[in-house]
Amino acid sequence: MQAAALHDPHPTRTTPRTDPTVEDPVTASDLIVDPRHRTDWATGAVLGDGVETLERRVADLAGVFADGAALAALDPELLVYRTECVFPVPDGTEGGLFWGTTFIQPGRVGEEYFMTKGHFHATSDRAEIYLTYAGTGLLVLMSRDRTCWAERMSVGSTHFIPAHTAHRTVNVGDDILAFGASWPSDAGHDYASIAADGFSARVLRIGGRPALVPQ
Ligand code: 6PG
Ligand code: NI
């Protein structure tokens, strides 16, 4: 996800209440302000200033799925996943953080479940955290020696993605998979390695159930 700077760096400022329906038990003060963002815990929606959205449709995902013919048979405009992200500091800033939610639609390309492109971080030693708001999925992880494994994702599951580890999320359920992520603002995204070599395993439906299948 690309970043654009948006925050004024001033720590003391007054803003309108972002959620006037929540009773405020705190004494009014110019030194106490509302957060600039909220997350809807049920859906993962990110609300507030400067939330940037990005969509990945079938047409954007050539070469990502194993079955190219099955992908070509789908409507190129069909939404596969989208993100709502906040970039409070410029992209590449050392010591900052980005965060956002990814929403993956339910669906398959042939026998392969809808999933993200997946990436290493361009600054390879940057880690990341994911936490699941809705749906069921698998977080597929791959180390630099191409060892691949996966963690089950379900509401509340919390995942540490180590440094030097490619990550891709797969929706294995019938509903939207929504998960939050936070990553360092100098992490960047290396999609090229995955485009060239892929992951060493894919999540396929076998006997009606998802399985992590070495390639
Ligand atoms: C990141 C996160 C996450 C990820 C999305 C979409 O580093 O930004 O891992 O926000 O970008 O889930 O996945 P792809 O970037 O692999 O398409
Ligand atoms: Ni990442």
Side-chain angles (χ1 to χ4, degrees):
M1 308 307 101
Q2 292 312 302
L6 57 90
H7 267 193
D8 78 61
H10 217 279
T12 58
R13 45 187 282 288
T14 52
T15 54
R17 297 294 313 282
T18 49
D19 187 352
T21 63
V22 177
E23 193 181 335
D24 186 358
V26 177
T27 304
S29 163
D30 285 353
L31 300 179
I32 301 174
V33 300
D34 280 324
R36 297 186 81 152
H37 301 94
R38 306 190 75 83
T39 302
D40 181 329
W41 236 235
T43 64
V46 183
L47 312 167
D49 292 348
V51 177
E52 295 192 25
T53 61
L54 185 146
E55 295 177 340
R56 297 282 186 216
R57 298 176 183 277
V58 162
D60 302 316
L61 298 172
V64 171
F65 294 91
D67 189 340
L71 186 73
L74 295 175
D75 178 354
E77 287 301 310
L78 181 67
L79 181 68
V80 178
Y81 64 97
R82 65 186 187 85
T83 59
E84 296 179 354
C85 292
V86 179
F87 304 109
V89 296
D91 195 12
T93 300
E94 194 178 328
L97 290 171
F98 295 151
W99 73 91
T101 300
T102 301
F103 306 85
I104 308 180
Q105 297 296 121
R108 278 180 287 108
V109 178
E111 294 306 310
E112 192 169 21
Y113 297 88
F114 277 9
M115 61 183 181
T116 60
K117 292 167 68 172
H119 56 269
F120 288 97
H121 288 148
T123 306
S124 184
D125 66 357
R126 298 305 193 254
E128 184 162 5
I129 188 167
Y130 281 4
L131 51 95
T132 308
Y133 299 120
T136 52
L138 286 171
L139 167 58
V140 180
L141 298 157
M142 183 175 74
S143 59
R144 287 284 178 189
D145 68 5
R146 298 189 57 75
T147 302
C148 219
W149 70 103
E151 292 184 7
R152 292 183 184 85
M153 302 176 78
S154 60
V155 174
S157 69
T158 306
H159 309 270
F160 175 67
I161 299 166
H164 308 293
T165 305
H167 40 288
R168 158 181 282 167
T169 43
V170 185
N171 185 350
V172 302
D174 297 328
D175 303 307
I176 289 175
L177 172 67
F179 63 92
S182 184
W183 64 101
S185 44
D186 62 351
H189 299 89
D190 168 17
Y191 294 108
S193 301
I194 301 303
D197 302 323
F199 280 68
S200 59
R202 289 180 178 276
V203 179
L204 303 176
R205 185 178 68 165
I206 297 178
R209 303 179 62 190
L212 184 65
V213 181
Q215 300 295 290

